[in-house]
Amino acid sequence: MIAASLAFSATAQATLLPTRGTRFWTGFMQNGFGAQSLKLHITADAATSGTVSIPLSGWNMTFSVPTNGVVVVDVPTVAENAGSGNVLNKGVLIQSADSVNVFASSFQNFTHDLSQVLPEAALGSRYRVDAYQGLPNFNNLHRSELLIVATEDGTQVSITPSVNTYSGQLAGVPFVVNLDQGQTYQLQAATDVLDLTNTVVEATTTSGPCRPFVVIGGSMCATVPGACQACDAVFEQLIPVAAWGSNYYTAPIHGVNTSTYRILAEQNGTSVSINGGAPFILNAGQRHEVNGNTAPVCIQASHPVSVAQLLEGYSCAGN
């Protein structure tokens, strides 16, 4: 019953975004009614070893990866964040002796997703969130969400939600959250039909650019688009605005008929063209979504944009 998976281009023209490293922070958003298993998939070109820990809970585990190999580390499900508006001690730290790639997965019956985890060197201090609405008309149980993971003590972030939140924050009204290293903050939309996309998360002047942090966007369980059953957890680590690009390609997805892609603008007056077609204008925070796409496309923009591609529900995608 897989419905959706959210993935972002990791290539930007303004900033080379590293995807390999020796130190990573991540966290796990709420997966529907709660994940049955949380895993880290660690790959390496050269044999190496390291540790995975939840520093503020005291849990840790060592790992070893063979040359051109992969190791899967089971993370305790207590690392999963739940609810909205709480500062928790659930940040997960991955450290290795040599460079690795890391992916995080969250599994529940019929709902499973995986995100690339970016190393500390790829993190930033300003993000414009891409998420997705929850499962409509299901008793408001599955909602759009985002997660912040602090990498340094004294991290102070300003959040301007694009919609009202489940914990009572109002759309368009900034509020500040204080975090220390390893702490997390999850925010969920007030209702299942709202989408936290275009929420701005940025460091305050007090926190500054030297305390980068992780932001993850997605949904507890989403149908993409809304009428395409069935729902699936959707989450992906977001790319900081400073690393957005202006040229993207979507990729063909094997075994399905259709996919969805979204384009999100950071600046007013962003001119966007798809496959060389007539340009259209997006202002800051506006998004353009195309459902039922059947072929790869080339996206060109006059200013940096974010592009996300999603799997659709099986009733639309044909698998």
mmCIF file of all heavy atoms in Angstrom, residues 22 58 80 92-93 104 120 142 145 148 151 178 180 199 242 265 295 297 299 303 305 307 311 313 319:
data_model
loop_
_atom_site.group_PDB
_atom_site.id
_atom_site.type_symbol
_atom_site.label_atom_id
_atom_site.label_comp_id
_atom_site.label_asym_id
_atom_site.label_seq_id
_atom_site.Cartn_x
_atom_site.Cartn_y
_atom_site.Cartn_z
ATOM 1 N N THR A 22 31.971 12.141 7.872
ATOM 2 C CA THR A 22 32.319 11.326 9.032
ATOM 3 C C THR A 22 31.492 11.674 10.263
ATOM 4 O O THR A 22 31.649 11.040 11.302
ATOM 5 C CB THR A 22 33.816 11.485 9.377
ATOM 6 O OG1 THR A 22 34.080 12.864 9.661
ATOM 7 C CG2 THR A 22 34.693 11.015 8.215
ATOM 8 N N GLY A 58 21.864 8.315 26.391
ATOM 9 C CA GLY A 58 22.885 7.371 26.838
ATOM 10 C C GLY A 58 23.024 6.138 25.977
ATOM 11 O O GLY A 58 23.924 5.317 26.204
ATOM 12 N N GLU A 80 11.962 7.905 18.030
ATOM 13 C CA GLU A 80 10.911 8.518 17.225
ATOM 14 C C GLU A 80 10.256 9.668 17.983
ATOM 15 O O GLU A 80 9.891 9.532 19.147
ATOM 16 C CB GLU A 80 9.854 7.492 16.851
ATOM 17 C CG GLU A 80 8.755 8.047 15.957
ATOM 18 C CD GLU A 80 7.710 6.994 15.592
ATOM 19 O OE1 GLU A 80 7.574 6.007 16.343
ATOM 20 O OE2 GLU A 80 7.043 7.156 14.564
ATOM 21 N N VAL A 92 19.948 11.852 16.920
ATOM 22 C CA VAL A 92 20.786 10.675 16.674
ATOM 23 C C VAL A 92 22.074 11.131 16.000
ATOM 24 O O VAL A 92 22.045 11.849 14.995
ATOM 25 C CB VAL A 92 20.056 9.650 15.781
ATOM 26 C CG1 VAL A 92 20.938 8.431 15.522
ATOM 27 C CG2 VAL A 92 18.729 9.228 16.426
ATOM 28 N N LEU A 93 23.216 10.699 16.547
ATOM 29 C CA LEU A 93 24.538 11.089 16.052
ATOM 30 C C LEU A 93 25.238 9.887 15.449
ATOM 31 O O LEU A 93 25.316 8.825 16.073
ATOM 32 C CB LEU A 93 25.369 11.660 17.209
ATOM 33 C CG LEU A 93 26.836 12.000 16.918
ATOM 34 C CD1 LEU A 93 26.953 13.108 15.870
ATOM 35 C CD2 LEU A 93 27.555 12.400 18.213
ATOM 36 N N ALA A 104 18.416 7.018 6.538
ATOM 37 C CA ALA A 104 17.566 6.699 7.687
ATOM 38 C C ALA A 104 16.229 6.189 7.188
ATOM 39 O O ALA A 104 15.624 6.777 6.281
ATOM 40 C CB ALA A 104 17.360 7.933 8.564
ATOM 41 N N GLU A 120 27.375 16.971 8.542
ATOM 42 C CA GLU A 120 27.367 18.291 9.160
ATOM 43 C C GLU A 120 27.807 19.383 8.190
ATOM 44 O O GLU A 120 27.298 20.503 8.227
ATOM 45 C CB GLU A 120 28.274 18.295 10.396
ATOM 46 C CG GLU A 120 27.631 17.693 11.620
ATOM 47 C CD GLU A 120 28.445 17.949 12.877
ATOM 48 O OE1 GLU A 120 29.669 18.140 12.773
ATOM 49 O OE2 GLU A 120 27.841 17.943 13.964
ATOM 50 N N HIS A 142 -3.489 11.920 10.777
ATOM 51 C CA HIS A 142 -2.220 11.946 10.043
ATOM 52 C C HIS A 142 -2.012 13.348 9.491
ATOM 53 O O HIS A 142 -2.772 13.815 8.639
ATOM 54 C CB HIS A 142 -2.232 10.915 8.910
ATOM 55 C CG HIS A 142 -2.354 9.498 9.396
ATOM 56 N ND1 HIS A 142 -1.597 9.002 10.426
ATOM 57 C CD2 HIS A 142 -3.140 8.472 8.983
ATOM 58 C CE1 HIS A 142 -1.901 7.732 10.628
ATOM 59 N NE2 HIS A 142 -2.850 7.386 9.767
ATOM 60 N N GLU A 145 4.193 17.472 8.839
ATOM 61 C CA GLU A 145 5.095 17.692 9.968
ATOM 62 C C GLU A 145 6.495 18.085 9.509
ATOM 63 O O GLU A 145 6.882 17.899 8.353
ATOM 64 C CB GLU A 145 5.171 16.441 10.856
ATOM 65 C CG GLU A 145 5.597 15.178 10.139
ATOM 66 C CD GLU A 145 5.491 13.929 11.020
ATOM 67 O OE1 GLU A 145 5.137 14.031 12.214
ATOM 68 O OE2 GLU A 145 5.773 12.828 10.500
ATOM 69 N N ILE A 148 13.277 19.481 13.610
ATOM 70 C CA ILE A 148 14.550 20.184 13.720
ATOM 71 C C ILE A 148 15.439 19.410 14.680
ATOM 72 O O ILE A 148 14.988 18.962 15.743
ATOM 73 C CB ILE A 148 14.335 21.620 14.241
ATOM 74 C CG1 ILE A 148 13.383 22.391 13.328
ATOM 75 C CG2 ILE A 148 15.671 22.355 14.366
ATOM 76 C CD1 ILE A 148 12.869 23.678 13.942
ATOM 77 N N THR A 151 22.669 20.705 16.341
ATOM 78 C CA THR A 151 24.013 20.125 16.363
ATOM 79 C C THR A 151 24.930 20.830 17.351
ATOM 80 O O THR A 151 26.043 20.349 17.602
ATOM 81 C CB THR A 151 24.663 20.185 14.966
ATOM 82 O OG1 THR A 151 24.954 21.555 14.636
ATOM 83 C CG2 THR A 151 23.740 19.604 13.906
ATOM 84 N N ASN A 178 14.465 27.288 21.582
ATOM 85 C CA ASN A 178 15.850 27.145 22.033
ATOM 86 C C ASN A 178 16.194 25.666 22.174
ATOM 87 O O ASN A 178 15.460 24.910 22.834
ATOM 88 C CB ASN A 178 16.051 27.860 23.369
ATOM 89 C CG ASN A 178 15.933 29.363 23.242
ATOM 90 O OD1 ASN A 178 16.798 30.017 22.676
ATOM 91 N ND2 ASN A 178 14.836 29.917 23.756
ATOM 92 N N ASP A 180 19.579 22.702 22.592
ATOM 93 C CA ASP A 180 20.977 22.355 22.775
ATOM 94 C C ASP A 180 21.310 21.155 21.902
ATOM 95 O O ASP A 180 20.420 20.507 21.334
ATOM 96 C CB ASP A 180 21.264 22.046 24.251
ATOM 97 C CG ASP A 180 21.340 23.306 25.095
ATOM 98 O OD1 ASP A 180 21.746 24.351 24.559
ATOM 99 O OD2 ASP A 180 20.987 23.239 26.294
ATOM 100 N N THR A 199 6.893 26.800 5.396
ATOM 101 C CA THR A 199 7.312 27.238 6.723
ATOM 102 C C THR A 199 8.796 27.607 6.660
ATOM 103 O O THR A 199 9.602 26.873 6.088
ATOM 104 C CB THR A 199 7.088 26.116 7.753
ATOM 105 O OG1 THR A 199 5.683 25.879 7.879
ATOM 106 C CG2 THR A 199 7.667 26.471 9.106
ATOM 107 N N ALA A 242 20.669 28.072 1.042
ATOM 108 C CA ALA A 242 21.931 28.498 0.439
ATOM 109 C C ALA A 242 22.443 27.515 -0.604
ATOM 110 O O ALA A 242 23.270 27.889 -1.452
ATOM 111 C CB ALA A 242 22.990 28.690 1.527
ATOM 112 N N ALA A 265 9.716 28.199 -4.554
ATOM 113 C CA ALA A 265 10.570 29.368 -4.796
ATOM 114 C C ALA A 265 10.979 30.026 -3.488
ATOM 115 O O ALA A 265 10.228 30.043 -2.515
ATOM 116 C CB ALA A 265 9.845 30.385 -5.673
ATOM 117 N N ALA A 295 6.832 11.297 -17.529
ATOM 118 C CA ALA A 295 8.151 11.306 -18.160
ATOM 119 C C ALA A 295 9.077 12.247 -17.404
ATOM 120 O O ALA A 295 8.618 13.195 -16.750
ATOM 121 C CB ALA A 295 8.043 11.748 -19.619
ATOM 122 N N VAL A 297 11.446 15.364 -16.598
ATOM 123 C CA VAL A 297 11.370 16.736 -17.075
ATOM 124 C C VAL A 297 12.632 17.488 -16.669
ATOM 125 O O VAL A 297 13.318 17.136 -15.696
ATOM 126 C CB VAL A 297 10.125 17.480 -16.538
ATOM 127 C CG1 VAL A 297 8.854 16.802 -16.985
ATOM 128 C CG2 VAL A 297 10.173 17.598 -15.014
ATOM 129 N N ILE A 299 13.843 21.204 -15.445
ATOM 130 C CA ILE A 299 13.303 22.404 -14.807
ATOM 131 C C ILE A 299 14.401 23.453 -14.743
ATOM 132 O O ILE A 299 15.499 23.183 -14.232
ATOM 133 C CB ILE A 299 12.787 22.074 -13.394
ATOM 134 C CG1 ILE A 299 11.631 21.069 -13.477
ATOM 135 C CG2 ILE A 299 12.347 23.341 -12.656
ATOM 136 C CD1 ILE A 299 11.310 20.397 -12.166
ATOM 137 N N HIS A 303 15.972 32.048 -10.500
ATOM 138 C CA HIS A 303 16.538 32.139 -9.158
ATOM 139 C C HIS A 303 16.475 30.748 -8.527
ATOM 140 O O HIS A 303 15.719 29.885 -8.981
ATOM 141 C CB HIS A 303 15.753 33.137 -8.304
ATOM 142 C CG HIS A 303 15.708 34.520 -8.859
ATOM 143 N ND1 HIS A 303 16.829 35.299 -9.039
ATOM 144 C CD2 HIS A 303 14.661 35.279 -9.292
ATOM 145 C CE1 HIS A 303 16.497 36.473 -9.541
ATOM 146 N NE2 HIS A 303 15.181 36.486 -9.716
ATOM 147 N N VAL A 305 15.603 27.447 -6.652
ATOM 148 C CA VAL A 305 14.353 26.811 -6.240
ATOM 149 C C VAL A 305 14.674 25.467 -5.602
ATOM 150 O O VAL A 305 15.778 24.948 -5.733
ATOM 151 C CB VAL A 305 13.388 26.604 -7.433
ATOM 152 C CG1 VAL A 305 12.916 27.928 -7.996
ATOM 153 C CG2 VAL A 305 14.026 25.748 -8.518
ATOM 154 N N VAL A 307 13.280 21.493 -5.634
ATOM 155 C CA VAL A 307 12.442 20.572 -6.410
ATOM 156 C C VAL A 307 12.349 19.251 -5.654
ATOM 157 O O VAL A 307 13.358 18.691 -5.231
ATOM 158 C CB VAL A 307 13.021 20.331 -7.816
ATOM 159 C CG1 VAL A 307 12.200 19.271 -8.560
ATOM 160 C CG2 VAL A 307 13.040 21.628 -8.610
ATOM 161 N N LEU A 311 6.621 9.670 -5.117
ATOM 162 C CA LEU A 311 5.817 8.567 -5.594
ATOM 163 C C LEU A 311 4.358 8.855 -5.299
ATOM 164 O O LEU A 311 4.026 9.437 -4.272
ATOM 165 C CB LEU A 311 6.225 7.275 -4.900
ATOM 166 C CG LEU A 311 7.621 6.725 -5.201
ATOM 167 C CD1 LEU A 311 7.946 5.578 -4.251
ATOM 168 C CD2 LEU A 311 7.698 6.253 -6.640
ATOM 169 N N GLY A 313 0.195 7.479 -4.849
ATOM 170 C CA GLY A 313 -0.527 6.330 -4.348
ATOM 171 C C GLY A 313 -0.760 5.307 -5.446
ATOM 172 O O GLY A 313 -0.922 5.642 -6.624
ATOM 173 N N ASN A 319 0.853 0.792 -9.240
ATOM 174 C CA ASN A 319 1.654 -0.239 -8.553
ATOM 175 C C ASN A 319 1.731 0.144 -7.082
ATOM 176 O O ASN A 319 1.749 1.324 -6.767
ATOM 177 C CB ASN A 319 3.058 -0.327 -9.157
ATOM 178 C CG ASN A 319 3.753 -1.611 -8.780
ATOM 179 O OD1 ASN A 319 3.267 -2.369 -7.981
ATOM 180 N ND2 ASN A 319 4.906 -1.857 -9.378
#
